[in-house]
Amino acid sequence: MATSKSPWWKSAVIYQIYPRSFQDSNGDGIGDLQGITSRLDYLADLGIDAIWLSPVYRSPQDDNGYDISDYCDIDPMFGTLADMDTLIGEARKRNIRIIMDLVLNHSSDEHPWFLEAKKSRDNPFHDYYVWRDGNEDVPPNDMKACFGGSAWTWVPDVQQYYFHQFSVKQPDLNWDNPKVREEIYKIINFWIERGVGGFRLDVIDQIAKEPDLKITNNGPMLHAYIREMNRHTFGGTDLVTVGEAWGANVDNAKIYSDPSGREFSMVFQFEHIGLDQIHGKEKWDLKPLDWMELKKVLSKWQTGLHGCGWNSLFWNNHDLPRIVSRWGDDGKYREESAKMFATLLHGMQGTPYIYQGEELGMTNAPYDISDYRDIETLHIYRDRLAEGYAEEDVMRSIHAKGRDNARTPMQWDSSENAGFTVGKPWLKVNPNYLQINAAEECNTADSVFAYYKALIALRKKYPIFAEGDYQLLMGDDPDVFAYKRTWKEQTLYVICNFHAKKLNEVIPEEYRKGTLLISNYAEQGSSLKPYEARIYLEQRN
Ligand code: NOJ
């Protein structure tokens, strides 16, 4: 329940669907829109308020839909515009809004704009993209693309290079061209008119790039472009908007999510996600997680945005490994650790995001390289072997961080292919679906699913989850992550044991004197069992 002044998304929980892996309805092995519609009752039962749908637009699928060739149509692999309308309408009946994923930094190289743009320098679409002169053997500079190789690709017909921060099939759009911005606003308004509930904006902090200065994110025009987009599209509506911003820090997140509504509702920032990689290196260069750093970083964001911005809260998405496997324990304490991470996050201020399967405690998928499909994983495998890395080390990194860990098909039940498809799944189903699946968990009182459902219900019932301030407790304790949230006459105490060991420290009586709202163990003592988590609510007078 939001307070009268709060926008709906402040007390909402958002569920991310990666459509190709959620539910297949036609047996081609790829999830689709009709499949999603058929699972809406499951999501309504979980209690979520909105679905962020990863891209379903027409696309050659070089980067699984993050390479769009028509922003106003649905890829036949996922269905039709009529299927999309049905999904929006059926979701609305269940009080669930649909959030579209806008990929506006780049299009596909098969988008009609790019097909025109590369024909000649005086083509009216040429300036829709970012071009630089040069000669065939010498690119304008040494910038690298995210998915391997140079960020510059030569087009002989125009004797120029185009710029692409991601794959060669994802040319960057030129936001400095006002016509491009107008086209983008038309696309956004097209979806607003179709009744969507909001937008997630892909790598939005990279749109104002300045390649000559090697600037990718946080370019000088970034906030001016976002504000203009806001004014021409979703500004003043009740839509939720969340920008993906790997380059966000607390200071610029305040600008993005300023309560005046000039930019977005919130951004995804990734400071906590980056804590398991060696500073200054790539995500594949692993470092053990330092829990004290995690406490510090999450606390900094909680206090930094309180009252002047808004946090998104997440552990997982389609680009990240599964939290139970990465920082929790996907063996003996899978359920306890999945619930502990959920408690830690859902107790905080912000809008929590649940990535499909997280509510079941789904785990990473340590496959052979031939079983992975992700463009990023396949590139890094080739590139690192070519650079002389041992295969074993490369695979260790891929098993820990590869994006396909999150993209294995949703585990619905114990039938063949986990109930995801009657065909051959595009990516192998994680063999642990016999033990971990929705059918089983929906019928089990103390399942991970039941726990997520209870956490979501708490956020709806008690405004303190959305409104309360944040104070870290036991800050020097290396094992316990505890904090309190205060609002009016209430205080929430959230207490979590990070580890697989039982702790002997005594949790102060003061933290435990309220009503226990939730815990992942049936009995609570003064010390904490492995991965134990609790939330207490204290009501004064
Ligand atoms: C971020 C998306 O989450 C990721 O999946 C994609 O590959 C890149 N942006 C490029 O669009």
Side-chain angles (χ1 to χ4, degrees):
M1 184 217 315
T3 57
S4 54
K5 282 191 308 256
S6 281
W8 65 272
W9 41 263
K10 290 204 168 176
S11 53
V13 177
I14 299 178
Y15 187 92
Q16 185 193 351
I17 289 185
Y18 196 63
R20 59 163 52 227
S21 303
F22 193 64
Q23 177 66 65
D24 178 20
S25 73
N26 61 0
D28 65 357
I30 301 171
D32 47 47
L33 294 177
Q34 291 193 14
I36 297 171
T37 303
S38 73
R39 294 293 186 180
L40 285 173
D41 286 336
Y42 167 84
L43 298 174
D45 180 36
L46 181 59
I48 53 110
D49 302 275
I51 295 170
W52 151 25
L53 208 58
S54 277
V56 287
Y57 315 94
R58 255 184 208 275
S59 159
Q61 303 290 326
D62 182 53
D63 183 19
N64 289 0
Y66 284 89
D67 49 314
I68 298 172
S69 55
D70 186 343
Y71 288 88
C72 294
D73 201 3
I74 301 296
D75 197 282
M77 157 194 299
F78 295 122
T80 61
L81 272 174
D83 292 331
M84 189 70 210
D85 291 339
T86 305
L87 173 60
I88 295 171
E90 287 299 313
R92 189 181 296 128
K93 284 186 198 156
R94 294 161 177 84
N95 289 322
I96 294 174
R97 306 178 201 227
I98 301 292
I99 298 171
M100 297 296 275
D101 203 325
L102 288 172
V103 188
L104 306 175
N105 174 67
H106 46 269
S107 72
S108 161
D109 67 337
E110 296 180 36
H111 193 291
W113 297 337
F114 192 74
L115 296 178
E116 285 298 311
K118 67 176 191 180
K119 283 185 182 161
S120 72
R121 290 189 188 200
D122 48 21
N123 187 290
F125 291 93
H126 189 69
D127 199 29
Y128 273 40
Y129 294 88
V130 180
W131 300 92
R132 291 293 179 270
D133 296 343
N135 74 55
E136 193 168 353
D137 307 313
V138 190
N141 62 31
D142 61 356
M143 289 176 81
K144 295 271 170 267
C146 270
F147 300 147
S150 168
W152 299 99
T153 293
W154 178 250
V155 178
D157 283 349
V158 292
Q159 294 282 301
Q160 278 182 317
Y161 283 90
Y162 69 87
F163 181 64
H164 52 92
Q165 300 188 61
F166 294 90
S167 91
V168 63
K169 287 185 66 60
Q170 294 167 297
D172 268 58
L173 283 161
N174 176 16
W175 276 69
D176 295 334
N177 180 348
K179 285 202 207 122
V180 169
R181 304 203 300 275
E182 268 169 42
E183 299 269 16
I184 285 173
Y185 307 152
K186 273 195 235 154
I187 292 165
I188 300 176
N189 289 327
F190 169 88
W191 287 106
I192 293 178
E193 277 157 31
R194 275 201 121 81
V196 302
F199 299 101
R200 176 260 186 191
L201 297 102
D202 190 67
V203 292
I204 200 68
D205 62 345
Q206 295 176 215
I207 57 172
K209 52 255 162 182
E210 296 277 350
D212 304 315
L213 303 172
K214 299 195 188 172
I215 293 176
T216 52
N217 57 31
N218 299 320
M221 291 301 289
L222 178 63
H223 293 279
Y225 289 156
I226 293 175
R227 283 175 198 176
E228 186 188 272
M229 168 167 60
N230 172 303
R231 285 196 304 275
H232 285 82
T233 59
F234 45 78
T237 68
D238 78 338
L239 300 195
V240 65
T241 48
V242 49
E244 184 196 26
W246 285 81
N249 55 36
V250 171
D251 287 336
N252 60 31
K254 281 186 204 165
I255 301 174
Y256 284 121
S257 65
D258 186 281
S260 66
R262 272 186 309 181
E263 298 198 4
F264 299 135
S265 313
M266 65 194 106
V267 284
F268 289 127
Q269 62 81 21
F270 294 86
E271 197 175 347
H272 60 301
I273 297 296
L275 293 177
D276 67 351
Q277 81 188 47
I278 299 173
H279 186 67
K281 295 213 160 178
E282 293 183 279
K283 77 178 209 183
W284 312 104
D285 300 302
L286 311 176
K287 126 176 161 13
L289 182 69
D290 177 340
W291 299 104
M292 296 304 274
E293 268 186 352
L294 182 70
K295 277 200 213 195
K296 216 167 84 193
V297 166
L298 290 179
S299 300
K300 178 180 79 184
W301 281 88
Q302 283 292 294
T303 50
L305 294 192
H306 180 70
C308 57
W310 193 251
N311 272 298
S312 66
L313 306 169
F314 69 98
W315 296 123
N316 294 277
N317 68 28
H318 64 292
D319 295 330
L320 304 175
R322 296 280 182 183
I323 191 67
V324 270
S325 300
R326 189 71 198 112
W327 291 342
D329 175 345
D330 62 9
K332 183 170 175 199
Y333 291 114
R334 184 185 64 85
E335 294 198 21
E336 290 82 354
S337 66
K339 292 173 186 172
M340 184 278 285
F341 277 102
T343 315
L344 189 55
L345 200 78
H346 285 245
M348 291 187 173
Q349 186 174 43
T351 301
Y353 289 75
I354 300 172
Y355 176 71
Q356 65 183 45
E358 177 184 337
E359 77 283 12
L360 305 175
M362 275 176 63
T363 66
N364 276 0
Y367 295 162
D368 291 338
I369 191 70
S370 60
D371 288 321
Y372 290 125
R373 298 287 172 265
D374 174 31
I375 181 174
E376 184 191 54
T377 296
L378 302 178
H379 266 292
I380 201 68
Y381 180 79
R382 270 200 302 271
D383 287 359
R384 290 219 156 177
L385 288 191
E387 284 164 30
Y389 283 78
E391 188 184 14
E392 196 186 316
D393 292 337
V394 178
M395 287 313 293
R396 186 176 313 115
S397 296
I398 290 174
H399 287 161
K401 301 283 283 285
R403 304 197 296 183
D404 281 341
N405 282 311
R407 299 176 180 185
T408 58
M410 180 73 176
Q411 294 168 204
W412 291 108
D413 57 41
S414 58
S415 67
E416 205 183 349
N417 293 323
F420 163 68
T421 181
V422 293
K424 184 174 179 320
W426 71 276
L427 174 66
K428 244 174 62 173
V429 175
N430 192 321
N432 64 18
Y433 73 92
L434 293 172
Q435 297 80 47
I436 306 172
N437 63 67
E440 177 77 26
E441 295 202 24
C442 288
N443 288 320
T444 307
D446 63 353
S447 63
V448 180
F449 178 87
Y451 196 88
Y452 268 84
K453 190 172 160 174
L455 278 174
I456 296 170
L458 287 175
R459 182 165 287 262
K460 302 268 172 293
K461 183 165 176 196
Y462 299 104
I464 187 172
F465 280 88
E467 306 291 340
D469 69 5
Y470 172 97
Q471 190 187 333
L472 182 67
L473 303 170
M474 304 173 77
D476 297 330
D477 191 305
D479 300 312
V480 178
F481 195 148
Y483 57 87
K484 71 175 181 179
R485 308 275 316 278
T486 306
W487 183 69
K488 297 189 172 168
E489 303 301 309
Q490 295 180 333
T491 303
L492 277 182
Y493 288 93
V494 180
I495 306 162
C496 296
N497 175 2
F498 273 159
H499 300 300
K501 62 179 186 208
K502 180 174 184 300
L503 301 179
N504 293 320
E505 291 95 317
V506 170
I507 304 303
E509 175 75 44
E510 184 199 341
Y511 305 173
R512 299 183 276 125
K513 63 180 188 229
T515 311
L516 182 74
L517 294 184
I518 193 165
S519 171
N520 55 354
Y521 281 88
E523 282 167 19
Q524 291 73 40
S526 61
S527 59
L528 294 174
K529 298 183 213 42
Y531 294 108
E532 183 167 351
R534 307 176 197 170
I535 303 182
Y536 291 97
L537 176 67
E538 186 195 319
Q539 178 78 45
R540 283 178 299 282
N541 67 45

